[in-house]
Amino acid sequence: MLDNWRDQALALAGIFQSATLVERLAKTGTAPQQQLETGVYSLFQLNPDSAEDVFGGAGKLLPGLKVSRQLLQSRQHPEYTDCLRYALSILYLQRQLSKKNDLLAIIGSRLEKARAQAEHFSPTHENVFSNLAGIYSDTLSTFRFRIQVLGDFNYLQQQRIANQIRTMLFAGVRSATLWRQLGGRRLHLLFQRKKLLAATDALIAQIESTNH
């Protein structure tokens, strides 16, 4: 069971990492290339062998793990207000999606095509972001519940940045799907915080010792 908390901690970090990227893109117009790449990569892992494989290794989630640790330790983090709102919205949106087999089938087939495009160009090529944002718009954006992204209007109205934001929301939903598959529930964020925090701390320590 310990392994399961570790995997849940990774999936949760994936959600928070995507939510943080959405916030950064909306407010500053930029985000770290490697983290964007991890988000895109995760969307193409349709049949992974492990939770780590979804992201290309636990180390790719270090920024998300650190945000996760802060929020699991204490909810008094005003600087993470938007990030937390996006994360909870992503979890809600994923739950709506899980009931729609027709949309899941569309997403699956279109992601296969997008993966071939990403291999041809690069995972963070503008065409790939445009394609992935299109999949998000045609499926997840059709729900009555929409995620309201707050930020600088000058950035939000730029198509390139809007595409990246939609792609990262999409990547967040991918992590939320993994979280649910691993038995993750919103109640865990309240009642299993100590276990998730312990697993998150252990992952951060492991990654940082490997990096040195």
Side-chain angles (χ1 to χ4, degrees), residues 140-200:
L140 286 148
S141 287
T142 61
F143 292 123
R144 195 177 297 138
F145 175 79
R146 305 281 286 276
I147 299 177
Q148 296 296 319
V149 176
L150 305 174
D152 185 321
F153 183 68
N154 293 321
Y155 298 128
L156 293 173
Q157 67 178 356
Q158 289 180 42
Q159 193 60 53
R160 181 181 63 85
I161 295 170
N163 286 342
Q164 291 183 351
I165 287 171
R166 286 194 185 99
T167 301
M168 288 307 106
L169 288 170
F170 197 4
V173 170
R174 170 69 186 97
S175 291
T177 301
L178 177 65
W179 159 256
R180 294 243 189 263
Q181 287 167 341
L182 293 164
R185 298 289 174 264
R186 266 186 73 163
L187 285 175
H188 286 184
L189 300 177
L190 295 172
F191 301 117
Q192 305 288 358
R193 277 169 61 190
K194 282 188 176 163
K195 287 175 181 166
L196 283 167
L197 181 57
T200 301

Side-chain angles (χ1 to χ4, degrees), residues 84-183:
L84 192 55
R85 184 172 59 80
Y86 296 142
L88 294 174
S89 298
I90 283 166
L91 283 167
Y92 180 79
L93 199 56
Q94 189 278 330
R95 205 161 68 233
Q96 302 306 303
L97 176 65
S98 67
K99 301 168 190 166
K100 304 268 186 191
N101 288 333
D102 52 336
L103 288 184
L104 287 167
I106 292 167
I107 287 172
S109 67
R110 285 183 63 177
L111 280 174
E112 287 288 359
K113 295 191 183 93
R115 179 163 60 182
Q117 183 193 36
E119 284 166 5
H120 176 70
F121 291 104
S122 75
T124 52
H125 192 279
E126 278 187 37
N127 293 3
V128 177
F129 278 123
S130 175
N131 191 348
L132 291 171
I135 301 172
Y136 179 89
S137 295
D138 294 345
T139 54
L140 286 148
S141 287
T142 61
F143 292 123
R144 195 177 297 138
F145 175 79
R146 305 281 286 276
I147 299 177
Q148 296 296 319
V149 176
L150 305 174
D152 185 321
F153 183 68
N154 293 321
Y155 298 128
L156 293 173
Q157 67 178 356
Q158 289 180 42
Q159 193 60 53
R160 181 181 63 85
I161 295 170
N163 286 342
Q164 291 183 351
I165 287 171
R166 286 194 185 99
T167 301
M168 288 307 106
L169 288 170
F170 197 4
V173 170
R174 170 69 186 97
S175 291
T177 301
L178 177 65
W179 159 256
R180 294 243 189 263
Q181 287 167 341
L182 293 164

Side-chain angles (χ1 to χ4, degrees), residues 56-91:
K60 298 284 173 65
L61 288 180
L62 187 58
L65 285 162
K66 287 181 170 176
V67 173
S68 201
R69 174 164 68 184
Q70 295 269 17
L71 289 166
L72 287 167
Q73 278 173 341
S74 149
R75 288 200 207 86
Q76 305 309 312
H77 283 287
E79 72 271 29
Y80 289 125
T81 301
D82 285 341
C83 169
L84 192 55
R85 184 172 59 80
Y86 296 142
L88 294 174
S89 298
I90 283 166
L91 283 167

